Amino acid sequence: MIKSLTIRGFKSVSDTTTLDLGAVNVFIGANGSGKSNILEALGVVSAAAYGTVDDEALDRRGVRLGLPRLYKSSFKGHRLLPDIYFCAQSDAAKYDISILNPLENPEPAWEYKTEGLYDGDHAVSTLGIRSSKANFPRNRGLAALKIVDLPDDNPAAELLRTLQDFAIYSPNTPTLRGMISETQRRPVGLTGGGLADAVQELLGSKDEDEKDIYNEIIDLLDWVESFDTATSASTILSPSVARPKRVLRFTDRYMSKNRNVLSAYDASEGALYILFVALLCNLKSGPACFAIDNIDQALNPRLVQRLMQNTCAWIVRSGKQLLCTAHNPIILDGLPLGDDRVRLFVVERDRSGQTIPRRVTITDKLRTMAQDKGWPLSRLWVMGHLGGVPDV
Amino acid sequence: MSNYRIALIAEGKTDKLVIEAAIESILGHKRFSVTQLQPDEGAYEIGRGTIDSAHRSDGWNGVYRWCRDTHKMGSGSIEGTGLEDFDLVIVHIDADVAGSTYQAANIADNPTNDLPCVQPCPPAEDTVDVLESVLKTWLPALMTTRNVIPCIPSQCTESWVAVALYAHTDHEITAGIECRTDLADYLSTRSGKRLIRKHGGLPKKEFARYRAAQGMISVGWGTVQQYCPSACKFSKSVQQVLTA
C-alpha cells in the first residue's frame, strides 16, 4: 500500500506537499480546488514507474493530457521550476522521480532528471543526470527494468508494481451502458467499458470473497432480483442499438415474468455505477491501488452513503487502496472515520491559488456533535466549517 | 511555509473580497486561505423559500443566522464546531446594521431586541463599539474566543474601498468618511472602475470589478487605516491573533 505521496511543482500543487494515505482516501473540496490534480500526480508516478512518461502512458492511466506549461506549476510571482518532483512510499520502500520537459518545443516523452527506487535504505535503482549510465535513454525509467531481478515479495518490487497498475477511473453513463467502446483494461475500462465482461468474471469466480460480492451488490439495488450476462441480446435490445459482444442483464423484481429483463442500455444508471465500483474494489484482476473521480455521481444520497460504507469494507477486505473524489456531503456522514484506514481530505486553494490538501481529523467533540446534537459533518461542510467549499 | 486558514462570515460577496484584500496587506507575504462560512440554509424555511428569497445567506441576517446556528452548535465553546482548526474566524457586519431592526430583517428569534443601536456620528467608533456588543450577544461564547474577531467597517466596507481607491486623487473623500452614508452613490459616479452601478434607482455592486480592484485595495490599505479607525482596529485584531 502507498503510505505517502509527495508532490512538488505539478499543476496547482506548487510547494512540496505530502499526503499520508490510508486504505480509503476521500477527497472533497470546491470544484477547481485541485482534487483531480492530486489523483493525476499519482497517475504520472505510475507512468514513470512503468518506464515512460508520454501521452500514451498518461492516457492509459486516466491522466488528462497536457503540455508541460500546463503540468508545471506556474503561479504569478513564483519562479517556474524546471522539473516536477514526486515521491511515493510504502512501509518499507520508496520510489521518487523528478521529470523534465521544456516549455518550448516539448518532447513527446518527459525526461527523467532523477529516479530512485529504494528497499528500505538500500538503493535498488538510481538514475540521475550525472549518473554513469550514459547510454541509457534519458526518457526511460530504469527502475521498471531493475525489478525483474527482484523476488516478487521484495517491498520495492511490490511498490513499483502497485504504482505501475494505478489508474484513475471516471465512469460515464454511455460507456457503462455499452453504447461507447473504449480501450479495455481489466476488470473494467477507465470510463466503464467492458462492464458485462467484468460481471461475468465475478459470476464465474471460484473465490469465496468474490462470491459474497454478488449478494452485497443485490442488497444495494432494491429493484433488482438478479443480474447476469448474455452473449445474445436480441430479445432485450432494440436492433438499432449498437452492442458489445457480451451484454449485462438485470431482472426487475416488480415486472411480469418474461418481460422483466433489462439490458444495461435500459437499466437505471445508478445500478451500473454501483456495479462498476463494486467490481473495481473487489475483483483481484483489478489494480491494487486506483482512483475514482466523482465516485458519487448519479446516485441517490442514501444509496451513495451505503455504497461508501460498503466500499470501505470492500477495500479493506480485498487489501486494495482507493483514492476518490466526491461532492455529495452526505458521503461524509457515512464514512467510518473512526477507523484510521479511512481518511478524509479537504482540498483547498490558498490565496495565491496553490492547492493545499488537509486531512480532517474527527475529534470526540465532533463525533458528539453529530451523534447527539444533529450536526453531522455534511452540515458542517456545507456551512464551511470544514473548509473545502466554493465562494458562492 | 505555513498557511493561515481563515474562516469568514460576511454580509456579502463583495465584502469578502474587500476583507480578503485587507488581510493580504496585513499578512504581507504570508500564505493564507479564506473559507466563506454560511448559515445552514436547510434549517430555515424548508419548502417555503421563493426564488426571490433563495439567497438567504446574504445580508446581515445571514450573519445573524450563522451566529445563532454556531452558538447552538458550540454550546459555549468553539470545540465541536469544526472551526477549531481555523487560525482565525472573522465575523463581519457593517456598522450601518446599527440602524436596522430585527423585524426588518425577518428575524423573530432574537431575545434581546437590541437594535437599532445607532450612536451620534462622529465619532464613528461609538456605534461600532455598541454594535460589537450586540454581535457578542449573537455569538456569546465564541466572540470571546481569542481567535474569533469582529470586523465592523463604518458605515460599510465601501468606506474602506473609497479611501483605498480614491483618497490619492480626491482628498475630500476622507473627511468624515466613516459617518458617510452616500458611498454607494459616490462609487457609482466615479468614472473608470465604477464598482457600483445604479439599476432601477438601486445600487448594484459589480462583483467582477470588486474582484479586479482587490489588488489596489490591498495596496491602499495603509491609507485606509490612516482615515478609518475601524480598519485600524481590524488590522490590529488580525495581527494580535496571527502573530501572537
Side-chain angles (χ1 to χ4, degrees):
Chain A
M1 190 171 92
I2 300 163
K3 300 289 281 187
S4 76
L5 172 67
T6 301
I7 308 164
R8 191 205 67 215
F10 179 65
K11 294 192 171 182
S12 57
V13 188
S14 179
D15 288 349
T16 305
T17 301
T18 298
L19 290 121
D20 293 320
L21 300 171
V24 177
N25 306 277
V26 180
F27 294 86
I28 59 169
N31 296 98
S33 59
K35 301 182 294 296
S36 300
N37 293 349
I38 292 169
L39 307 186
E40 290 186 330
L42 203 44
V44 177
V45 181
S46 170
Y50 201 72
T52 312
V53 184
D54 60 10
D55 281 358
E56 185 193 348
L58 294 169
D59 190 47
R60 285 197 326 119
R61 289 163 174 81
V63 180
R64 291 167 291 181
L65 304 182
L67 297 168
R69 67 175 67 251
L70 296 176
Y71 274 22
K72 293 180 181 181
S73 301
S74 50
F75 289 100
K76 289 176 196 162
H78 281 66
R79 187 172 64 91
L80 186 71
L81 295 170
D83 63 320
I84 305 175
Y85 173 80
F86 305 99
C87 177
Q89 294 194 66
S90 63
D91 275 331
K94 180 173 99 170
Y95 177 67
D96 66 355
I97 48 157
S98 59
I99 54 174
L100 297 160
N101 207 346
L103 297 184
E104 303 300 332
N105 303 316
E107 297 293 331
W110 288 65
E111 286 188 2
Y112 289 66
K113 180 182 175 192
T114 62
E115 185 196 41
L117 178 64
Y118 304 88
D119 173 6
D121 293 332
H122 168 67
V124 174
S125 165
T126 57
L127 190 63
I129 279 181
R130 294 181 188 81
S131 74
S132 57
K133 303 168 187 76
N135 294 328
F136 194 74
R138 297 272 292 273
N139 60 6
R140 296 297 307 275
L142 185 61
L145 302 175
K146 287 281 189 181
I147 63 163
V148 176
D149 299 329
L150 297 176
D152 281 352
D153 60 352
N154 176 277
E158 282 180 348
L159 172 64
L160 208 70
R161 275 196 298 273
T162 299
L163 289 170
Q164 287 175 339
D165 290 344
F166 173 84
I168 304 162
Y169 293 80
S170 306
N172 68 54
T173 304
T175 314
L176 288 166
R177 290 199 190 288
M179 296 158 63
I180 297 173
S181 61
E182 69 169 340
T183 309
Q184 187 57 15
R185 278 182 73 103
R186 286 193 73 193
V188 283
L190 296 182
T191 58
L195 192 63
D197 293 325
V199 167
Q200 188 54 41
E201 186 180 332
L202 174 76
L203 297 176
S205 174
K206 301 282 188 279
D207 185 286
E208 289 304 317
D209 282 346
E210 289 186 348
K211 282 182 180 174
D212 288 340
I213 309 306
Y214 178 83
N215 286 313
E216 290 168 5
I217 293 170
I218 290 282
D219 183 41
L220 290 173
L221 305 174
D222 55 0
W223 61 272
V224 175
E225 186 176 285
S226 64
F227 63 87
D228 63 4
T229 69
T231 49
S232 170
S234 58
T235 57
I236 56 170
L237 260 178
S238 158
S240 307
V241 177
R243 70 201 64 180
K245 187 177 168 193
R246 183 179 292 281
V247 295
L248 192 53
R249 296 190 304 192
F250 294 92
T251 304
D252 187 315
R253 70 187 173 101
Y254 298 113
M255 293 167 70
S256 306
K257 203 173 178 187
N258 300 326
R259 283 181 290 165
N260 60 349
V261 179
L262 302 171
S263 70
Y265 182 75
D266 293 302
S268 130
E269 61 184 343
L272 306 178
Y273 281 95
I274 294 279
L275 272 174
F276 176 84
V277 174
L279 294 167
L280 264 179
C281 290
N282 289 290
L283 287 179
K284 291 185 170 53
S285 61
C289 175
F290 61 99
I292 301 178
D293 214 0
N294 299 318
I295 196 168
D296 50 353
Q297 60 181 310
L299 298 175
N300 172 285
R302 184 183 285 192
L303 184 56
V304 79
Q305 201 172 53
R306 275 290 309 281
L307 174 65
M308 279 312 297
Q309 289 166 342
N310 282 22
T311 296
C312 292
W314 288 333
I315 289 290
V316 168
R317 189 170 66 194
S318 65
K320 295 189 181 216
Q321 186 175 24
L322 169 68
L323 293 82
C324 64
T325 64
H327 289 101
N328 191 333
I330 207 79
I331 274 191
L332 272 56
D333 302 331
L335 283 177
L337 292 170
D339 189 321
D340 192 46
R341 292 172 294 188
V342 179
R343 299 188 181 184
L344 174 66
F345 295 90
V346 172
V347 181
E348 301 176 291
R349 299 183 88 161
D350 72 3
R351 260 296 278 166
S352 66
Q354 296 192 49
T355 290
I356 301 175
R358 179 176 50 82
R359 185 181 173 190
V360 175
T361 317
I362 303 302
T363 61
D364 288 343
K365 194 87 179 182
L366 269 178
R367 207 168 285 126
T368 306
M369 289 291 299
Q371 288 165 356
D372 300 347
K373 297 186 177 177
W375 286 97
L377 287 179
S378 56
R379 290 177 81 180
L380 294 181
W381 182 28
V382 175
M383 288 175 74
H385 289 210
L386 301 181
V389 286
D391 288 341
V392 295
Chain B
M1 200 193 319
S2 66
N3 173 58
Y4 288 123
R5 294 189 64 233
I6 298 170
L8 169 65
I9 176 78
E11 281 193 32
K13 293 163 72 70
T14 54
D15 299 309
K16 176 178 180 275
L17 295 177
V18 175
I19 293 166
E20 272 182 352
I23 297 169
E24 181 115 38
S25 173
I26 296 164
L27 295 183
H29 295 296
K30 295 192 178 84
R31 281 178 72 175
F32 70 96
S33 55
V34 177
T35 299
Q36 187 177 322
L37 304 172
Q38 66 175 48
D40 180 23
E41 299 214 18
Y44 296 96
E45 301 180 16
I46 291 172
R48 291 195 286 128
T50 63
I51 291 172
D52 290 339
S53 67
H55 296 287
R56 289 186 295 278
S57 58
D58 286 351
W60 71 268
N61 56 349
V63 178
Y64 174 83
R65 283 175 172 154
W66 176 83
C67 288
R68 300 310 293 168
D69 287 342
T70 307
H71 172 58
K72 284 182 216 157
M73 190 191 302
S75 301
S77 161
I78 198 167
E79 284 181 51
T81 62
L83 296 169
E84 56 269 41
D85 286 342
F86 286 100
D87 299 297
L88 176 67
V89 180
I90 299 168
V91 185
H92 160 261
I93 49 171
D94 284 335
D96 60 11
V97 170
S100 304
T101 64
Y102 291 107
Q103 292 81 357
N106 293 319
I107 294 168
D109 64 344
N110 185 272
T112 51
N113 204 25
D114 44 14
L115 289 179
C117 64
V118 185
Q119 304 298 307
C121 193
E125 292 95 315
D126 287 357
T127 298
V128 170
D129 289 344
V130 176
L131 193 59
E132 191 174 324
S133 302
V134 170
L135 191 56
K136 283 178 181 166
T137 67
W138 298 355
L139 197 59
L142 261 67
M143 286 307 294
T144 56
T145 306
R146 196 188 72 85
N147 65 339
V148 182
I149 63 167
C151 172
I152 308 178
S154 181
Q155 294 283 315
C156 57
T157 46
E158 275 61 43
S159 62
W160 294 356
V161 174
V163 174
L165 300 188
Y166 300 114
H168 63 291
T169 54
D170 179 4
H171 301 300
E172 290 183 8
I173 187 61
T174 57
I177 181 76
E178 292 214 309
C179 293
R180 288 183 65 157
T181 56
D182 61 344
L183 289 172
D185 288 336
Y186 176 81
L187 291 175
S188 71
T189 56
R190 303 300 293 182
S191 57
K193 295 174 203 62
R194 281 283 297 278
L195 297 186
I196 295 178
R197 70 184 160 88
K198 287 290 182 69
H199 182 73
L202 294 172
K204 292 276 183 188
K205 296 182 183 180
E206 299 274 11
F207 180 77
R209 291 184 179 178
Y210 269 81
R211 183 178 271 174
Q214 270 189 308
M216 293 184 69
I217 296 169
S218 193
V219 168
W221 187 246
T223 313
V224 177
Q225 290 182 83
Q226 192 180 335
Y227 294 106
C228 302
S230 61
C232 215
K233 185 175 182 178
F234 175 64
S235 287
K236 282 181 185 160
S237 300
V238 172
Q239 282 164 342
Q240 272 173 4
V241 174
L242 295 184
T243 58

